Amino acid sequence: MTDPALSAVSAPLQSRPRPKRKTLMNVTDAIKSRKSVRAFRPDPVPKAVIEEILEVSMRAPSGTNTQPWHVYVCTGARKQAVTDAVLDQIRAGNAAKYHDVGYYPERWSDLHNSRRRNVGWGLYSLLGIEREDKERRTSQALRNFSFFDAPVGIFVTIEDYLAKGNWTDVGLYLQTLMLAARDHDLHTCPQAAWVPYQDAVLKTIGAPEGQSLVAGIALGYEDTTKIENSLVSEREKLENVVQYLGFEAE
């Protein structure tokens, strides 16, 4: 019997009646309006809307069409169970680090570290959290594990044996999903925070052996009254990342 609070999606969904919605958002608006939302309203997201987002997202590109993603959509008690499992692990003193699972490097370059710090302190500044206030910084970080109160939590996994190119494919899928959500006035927050605790996550969602967690995603309606949602991270100037080659011949 299928648990309605936990769905595993690894193949295109069958055609279903489409939920009513507003005029489609154009791609540019979806890209520019997408941001990491860290406070959601409790309003439930209709399952039909979630299914449409997931079905559209299956059009994400992947090398040789391998489609190497598996998706677990959690709501209600099953979502809370994942939260509880991870918090129990943290309380037991079993907190892990990103480099322990090979997700992020142990040491960052000065450039990348400055970008990380800028967005982190930008968030804490909005929330009135001082740098030396470790307790409040920790409390804010732990909000990741409630999906920032979003009604829907999504986990995306990949088979262990796959390599860098396949992880790139899953990244393309994640971006496609987040942009598709904007078409329904929904917001998201992609979350690496779950990855160091993936053993607890994978066990709780019932993922089979041989899968690794790529990311979690909070999905829901933005709480526009919360100041943390006014944060829009800066982007590097185009000339600092792009090189035009051969245009002088035109």
Side-chain angles (χ1 to χ4, degrees):
M1 182 174 180
T2 302
D3 187 335
L6 176 60
S7 304
V9 182
S10 57
L13 298 170
Q14 296 179 351
S15 298
R16 296 179 173 87
R18 295 293 184 262
K20 294 181 180 180
R21 57 179 176 169
K22 299 178 181 178
T23 304
L24 292 173
M25 180 180 289
N26 70 51
V27 175
T28 299
D29 287 342
I31 293 171
K32 288 185 173 182
S33 65
R34 191 217 63 80
K35 61 181 181 179
S36 293
V37 165
R38 295 178 177 87
F40 291 86
R41 303 201 313 263
D43 312 48
V45 180
K47 187 177 180 182
V49 171
I50 297 172
E51 289 178 337
E52 180 165 356
I53 290 169
L54 295 176
E55 188 164 14
V56 169
S57 299
M58 289 302 295
R59 295 303 308 168
S62 59
T64 62
N65 199 35
T66 50
Q67 304 173 62
W69 45 78
H70 298 271
V71 185
Y72 300 82
V73 183
C74 307
T75 60
R78 292 306 296 274
K79 180 170 73 73
Q80 185 61 47
V82 183
T83 294
D84 293 342
V86 171
L87 292 180
D88 285 347
Q89 185 175 341
I90 294 172
R91 293 189 191 102
N94 297 325
K97 296 181 179 179
Y98 291 114
H99 68 262
D100 293 335
V101 291
Y103 199 85
Y104 286 144
E106 186 171 2
R107 295 182 180 179
W108 296 88
S109 70
D110 290 342
L111 174 63
H112 296 148
N113 202 38
S114 67
R115 291 172 180 167
R116 295 174 64 244
R117 289 181 177 274
N118 285 342
V119 72
W121 293 123
L123 174 63
Y124 293 152
S125 177
L126 284 173
L127 293 170
I129 301 174
E130 301 293 337
R131 296 193 180 205
E132 63 274 10
D133 193 343
K134 184 177 180 180
E135 184 176 347
R136 287 193 65 195
R137 293 205 323 263
T138 299
S139 178
Q140 176 61 31
L142 289 176
R143 281 184 48 72
N144 274 282
F145 305 118
S146 66
F147 295 96
F148 300 107
D149 301 325
V152 181
I154 299 173
F155 294 105
V156 181
T157 68
I158 188 172
E159 274 93 352
D160 288 341
Y161 84 94
L162 294 172
K164 290 180 180 178
N166 310 111
W167 279 71
T168 299
D169 295 337
V170 179
L172 294 170
Y173 174 82
L174 292 168
Q175 174 76 339
T176 302
L177 189 159
M178 290 187 288
L179 294 180
R182 293 298 302 121
D183 193 27
H184 295 269
D185 294 327
L186 290 160
H187 272 283
T188 55
C189 185
Q191 298 173 279
W194 296 96
V195 176
Y197 308 99
Q198 63 178 306
D199 289 347
V201 172
L202 296 173
K203 179 180 179 180
T204 307
I205 64 177
E209 290 188 13
Q211 290 188 14
S212 290
L213 180 61
V214 178
I217 303 177
L219 173 71
Y221 299 98
E222 177 187 6
D223 185 343
T224 57
T225 69
K226 300 296 186 181
I227 193 169
E228 54 263 50
N229 287 335
S230 65
L231 177 68
V232 179
S233 56
E234 295 180 355
R235 290 297 184 266
E236 190 61 78
K237 293 181 179 179
L238 200 61
E239 58 265 29
N240 292 338
V241 297
V242 177
Q243 297 184 48
Y244 294 101
L245 307 175
F247 284 85
E248 62 273 8
E250 292 186 356

